[in-house]
Amino acid sequence: MLVMTSTILGDDALGTDGLSPDEREKREQDKGARDEERVRHGFWAKIKSTAARIPFAEDAIASYYAAFDQRTPLRVRAMLLAALAYFVLPLDVIPDIFPVIGFTDDAAVLMAVLKLLSGHVTPEHYAAARDALARVKNRPD
Protein backbone atom coordinates (compact mmCIF):
# COMPACT_ATOMS: atom_id res chain seq x y z
CA MET A 1 0.00 0.00 0.00
CA LEU A 2 1.36 3.40 -0.99
CA VAL A 3 1.27 6.14 1.65
CA MET A 4 1.38 9.67 0.33
CA THR A 5 2.60 12.52 2.46
CA SER A 6 1.53 16.12 2.34
CA THR A 7 4.74 17.03 0.52
CA ILE A 8 3.72 14.73 -2.32
CA LEU A 9 0.11 15.87 -2.32
CA GLY A 10 0.92 19.56 -2.07
CA ASP A 11 -1.50 22.21 -0.81
CA ASP A 12 -4.54 19.96 -1.16
CA ALA A 13 -3.23 17.48 1.41
CA LEU A 14 -4.76 17.03 4.81
CA GLY A 15 -2.61 18.34 7.62
CA THR A 16 -1.72 16.51 10.81
CA ASP A 17 -4.99 17.81 12.26
CA GLY A 18 -6.96 16.09 9.47
CA LEU A 19 -8.11 19.39 7.98
CA SER A 20 -7.56 20.67 4.48
CA PRO A 21 -5.92 24.10 4.12
CA ASP A 22 -9.33 25.62 3.35
CA GLU A 23 -10.90 24.03 6.44
CA ARG A 24 -7.96 25.17 8.59
CA GLU A 25 -8.27 28.73 7.29
CA LYS A 26 -12.03 28.71 7.96
CA ARG A 27 -11.44 27.47 11.52
CA GLU A 28 -8.88 30.25 12.10
CA GLN A 29 -11.31 32.85 10.73
CA ASP A 30 -14.07 31.56 13.00
CA LYS A 31 -11.76 31.75 16.04
CA GLY A 32 -10.72 35.24 15.03
CA ALA A 33 -14.36 36.31 14.76
CA ARG A 34 -15.10 34.86 18.22
CA ASP A 35 -12.06 36.65 19.70
CA GLU A 36 -13.13 39.92 18.08
CA GLU A 37 -16.66 39.60 19.48
CA ARG A 38 -15.35 38.78 22.99
CA VAL A 39 -13.03 41.77 22.93
CA ARG A 40 -15.64 44.17 21.53
CA HIS A 41 -18.16 42.99 24.12
CA GLY A 42 -16.00 42.79 27.24
CA PHE A 43 -12.88 44.92 26.87
CA TRP A 44 -14.06 48.31 28.16
CA ALA A 45 -15.97 46.83 31.07
CA LYS A 46 -12.83 44.93 32.11
CA ILE A 47 -10.65 48.03 31.73
CA LYS A 48 -13.09 50.17 33.74
CA SER A 49 -13.12 47.65 36.56
CA THR A 50 -9.37 47.06 36.62
CA ALA A 51 -7.64 50.20 35.31
CA ALA A 52 -6.50 51.35 38.75
CA ARG A 53 -5.10 47.91 39.64
CA ILE A 54 -3.19 46.87 36.53
CA PRO A 55 0.05 48.55 35.50
CA PHE A 56 -0.35 47.43 31.87
CA ALA A 57 -3.70 49.17 31.23
CA GLU A 58 -2.18 51.62 28.75
CA ASP A 59 -0.57 48.75 26.80
CA ALA A 60 -3.85 46.85 26.76
CA ILE A 61 -5.77 49.85 25.46
CA ALA A 62 -3.11 50.64 22.82
CA SER A 63 -3.33 47.00 21.74
CA TYR A 64 -7.10 47.33 21.50
CA TYR A 65 -6.79 50.36 19.24
CA ALA A 66 -4.19 48.61 17.07
CA ALA A 67 -6.33 45.47 16.84
CA PHE A 68 -9.26 47.46 15.47
CA ASP A 69 -7.16 49.73 13.23
CA GLN A 70 -7.76 48.77 9.60
CA ARG A 71 -4.16 49.78 8.80
CA THR A 72 -2.83 47.02 11.09
CA PRO A 73 -2.06 43.84 9.11
CA LEU A 74 -4.69 41.12 9.50
CA ARG A 75 -2.38 38.54 11.13
CA VAL A 76 -1.17 41.15 13.64
CA ARG A 77 -4.76 42.10 14.41
CA ALA A 78 -5.62 38.43 14.95
CA MET A 79 -2.75 37.95 17.41
CA LEU A 80 -3.64 41.11 19.32
CA LEU A 81 -7.29 40.07 19.48
CA ALA A 82 -6.31 36.64 20.81
CA ALA A 83 -4.20 38.22 23.58
CA LEU A 84 -6.96 40.71 24.41
CA ALA A 85 -9.58 37.94 24.43
CA TYR A 86 -7.44 36.12 27.01
CA PHE A 87 -7.42 39.31 29.10
CA VAL A 88 -11.20 39.68 28.81
CA LEU A 89 -12.16 36.07 29.52
CA PRO A 90 -13.04 35.49 33.17
CA LEU A 91 -11.34 32.09 33.36
CA ASP A 92 -7.62 31.86 32.81
CA VAL A 93 -4.53 30.23 34.27
CA ILE A 94 -4.40 32.53 37.32
CA PRO A 95 -7.87 33.87 38.17
CA ASP A 96 -8.05 37.67 38.26
CA ILE A 97 -9.75 37.63 41.67
CA PHE A 98 -6.39 37.07 43.39
CA PRO A 99 -4.85 40.43 44.31
CA VAL A 100 -1.57 41.35 42.60
CA ILE A 101 -0.84 37.95 41.01
CA GLY A 102 -4.24 37.55 39.37
CA PHE A 103 -3.27 39.64 36.35
CA THR A 104 0.28 38.38 35.92
CA ASP A 105 -0.69 35.79 33.32
CA ASP A 106 -2.77 38.36 31.42
CA ALA A 107 0.16 40.79 31.48
CA ALA A 108 2.60 38.08 30.39
CA VAL A 109 0.47 37.09 27.40
CA LEU A 110 -0.12 40.68 26.35
CA MET A 111 3.51 41.73 26.82
CA ALA A 112 4.77 38.74 24.82
CA VAL A 113 2.47 39.61 21.94
CA LEU A 114 3.39 43.30 22.16
CA LYS A 115 7.08 42.47 22.09
CA LEU A 116 6.59 40.43 18.92
CA LEU A 117 4.38 43.04 17.29
CA SER A 118 5.81 46.25 18.74
CA GLY A 119 6.20 47.94 15.35
CA HIS A 120 2.48 47.67 14.71
CA VAL A 121 1.26 49.28 17.94
CA THR A 122 2.09 52.85 17.01
CA PRO A 123 2.63 56.04 19.01
CA GLU A 124 -0.82 57.09 17.70
CA HIS A 125 -2.36 54.02 19.37
CA TYR A 126 -0.55 54.85 22.63
CA ALA A 127 -1.68 58.49 22.52
CA ALA A 128 -5.30 57.37 22.10
CA ALA A 129 -4.77 54.86 24.93
CA ARG A 130 -3.47 57.53 27.31
CA ASP A 131 -6.51 59.72 26.56
CA ALA A 132 -8.93 56.83 27.04
CA LEU A 133 -7.22 55.72 30.25
CA ALA A 134 -7.42 59.24 31.67
CA ARG A 135 -11.16 59.33 30.87
CA VAL A 136 -11.71 55.91 32.47
CA LYS A 137 -9.80 56.78 35.64
CA ASN A 138 -11.47 60.20 36.03
CA ARG A 139 -14.98 58.89 35.44
CA PRO A 140 -17.08 58.41 38.56
CA ASP A 141 -19.03 55.13 38.51
Side-chain angles (χ1 to χ4, degrees):
M1 174 175 192
L2 179 62
V3 177
M4 301 181 99
T5 66
S6 61
T7 55
I8 295 171
L9 294 173
D11 289 341
D12 294 330
L14 296 179
T16 56
D17 56 7
L19 298 175
S20 71
D22 289 340
E23 292 169 326
R24 198 173 301 110
E25 183 177 338
K26 174 72 170 123
R27 184 176 66 182
E28 288 174 15
Q29 288 173 350
D30 290 346
K31 183 189 178 314
R34 284 191 308 274
D35 286 347
E36 182 175 341
E37 184 58 31
R38 283 183 187 123
V39 172
R40 280 190 191 277
H41 181 73
F43 180 78
W44 290 107
K46 182 86 172 215
I47 284 294
K48 287 174 186 173
S49 69
T50 62
R53 297 186 322 216
I54 59 172
F56 62 93
E58 185 178 312
D59 294 307
I61 297 170
S63 298
Y64 177 90
Y65 286 128
F68 288 102
D69 184 342
Q70 295 299 314
R71 296 171 295 177
T72 303
L74 186 58
R75 290 205 181 268
V76 172
R77 291 173 60 204
M79 289 179 72
L80 288 169
L81 284 168
L84 291 169
Y86 184 80
F87 169 67
V88 169
L89 289 174
L91 300 175
D92 53 28
V93 176
I94 303 172
D96 298 340
I97 59 169
F98 294 115
V100 183
I101 65 164
F103 291 103
T104 56
D105 60 325
D106 299 315
V109 168
L110 189 59
M111 292 303 114
V113 170
L114 276 174
K115 185 154 177 84
L116 288 171
L117 308 173
S118 62
H120 297 285
V121 182
T122 66
E124 181 181 86
H125 297 135
Y126 273 99
R130 281 188 294 280
D131 291 344
L133 189 57
R135 286 190 308 272
V136 167
K137 286 185 174 182
N138 292 328
R139 182 180 193 185
D141 288 331

